[in-house]
Amino acid sequence: MATLNRILGYTLRGKTYAKTGNEESKIADNFPYLANDWSKSTFESLKQNIRKHYARRQKTRCAYCRVKIAVEGYGYPIEHITCRDKKPNWMFANFNLVVSCVGCNSSKGVDNVLVNPSTHYGDYEEHCPDTGDHYRLFNPHFDNWCDHFEIEDDFFLIPKPNTKGPFTFDTCNMHRYQIILDFREQINLREQKTFRNITKRIRKEKNEDKLKQLLEAKDAILDMIENH
Ligand SMILES: [Zn+2]
């Protein structure tokens, strides 16, 4: 269980995408936005960079349900935590961007995720709330996943009571079957004998060169697990 939590429990704290000067000017030049401006071709490379950045920081897992998302192509959306329809001018705000699975992204839709939806906040990127207490929804830029969710019996995703878990679970419809399947697959791979043996030997190995080889082998297996 500890291992599974380690895989799923990543956080984005301090890991927002740092836009280049060119990207910042592009954003400023096109301000203010309409929700559909997201599809403008001028933003294509910026969107690619954002997608790549978060896919990597999120271990190619959905920001919410933590299911494995497609590694290649564009099979996973950039997700706006506060949706573009509600806050078009926050569409490039750092704390508003993650990648998610298609399931969470489409289930979530335009639901309100802020604690005080009637608060105006403001229309500039910097007005996008920058602390977790403004959000009813789990926000990986501020919140620890393991504080809001747990895995029961090694494969049931359960929201923890009295946290953001239950609201997030309902909003993203996390009852979806593939979430459970994905966890199951992870556990099966982790239980494979090779991985266990290497881990056991790493603990005992005194020879430095051997230890280096073993650590490399372990990394290669982890890559395989993470990218399969
Ligand atoms: Zn998801």
Side-chain angles (χ1 to χ4, degrees), residues 10-194:
Y10 68 78
T11 158
L12 291 177
R13 218 174 277 119
K15 294 178 186 164
T16 53
Y17 175 65
K19 298 175 194 105
T20 64
N22 191 14
E23 290 170 343
E24 293 282 13
S25 352
K26 216 176 258 185
I27 290 171
D29 291 348
N30 284 275
F31 188 88
Y33 309 119
L34 298 171
N36 285 341
D37 289 350
W38 182 248
S39 311
K40 278 185 176 174
S41 57
T42 184
F43 295 133
E44 209 36 61
S45 66
L46 168 60
K47 277 157 53 180
Q48 272 182 38
N49 290 342
I50 291 170
R51 188 181 278 111
K52 238 187 278 168
H53 172 87
Y54 284 111
R56 210 165 141 219
R57 300 307 182 287
Q58 294 177 210
K59 304 184 180 186
T60 54
R61 288 184 174 277
C62 172
Y64 305 122
C65 71
R66 306 272 146 133
V67 76
K68 199 80 185 158
I69 51 181
V71 180
E72 285 159 24
Y74 301 118
Y76 49 93
I78 296 178
E79 150 72 10
H80 293 95
I81 296 173
T82 303
C83 76
R84 277 186 283 134
D85 288 312
K86 289 215 163 28
K87 282 287 181 189
N89 289 320
W90 293 357
M91 73 168 74
F92 292 109
N94 280 339
F95 298 127
N96 204 31
L97 294 166
V98 288
V99 291
S100 75
C101 71
V102 175
C104 285
N105 179 262
S106 56
S107 304
K108 190 173 146 273
V110 297
D111 282 4
N112 225 315
V113 302
L114 295 165
V115 174
N116 297 312
S118 53
T119 305
H120 177 57
Y121 286 103
D123 274 335
Y124 289 93
E125 260 182 44
E126 57 269 32
H127 294 138
C128 176
D130 58 359
T131 53
D133 54 351
H134 285 281
Y135 296 87
R136 291 165 81 196
L137 194 84
F138 168 78
N139 184 328
H141 290 289
F142 315 112
D143 303 321
N144 288 324
W145 195 82
C146 300
D147 292 341
H148 300 269
F149 299 97
E150 61 190 323
I151 312 295
E152 211 172 81
D153 291 337
D154 279 357
F155 65 94
F156 280 118
L157 174 67
I158 309 278
K160 290 189 177 176
N162 306 314
T163 68
K164 296 179 183 179
F167 177 78
T168 308
F169 194 91
D170 287 345
T171 305
C172 296
N173 187 25
M174 292 185 182
H175 302 273
R176 295 183 312 274
Y177 183 58
Q178 64 266 36
I179 296 176
I180 294 169
L181 261 191
D182 183 73
F183 287 162
R184 194 70 257 173
E185 273 176 26
Q186 291 295 320
I187 292 159
N188 286 343
L189 276 164
R190 295 233 163 222
E191 280 172 355
Q192 276 176 11
K193 224 175 155 204
T194 325

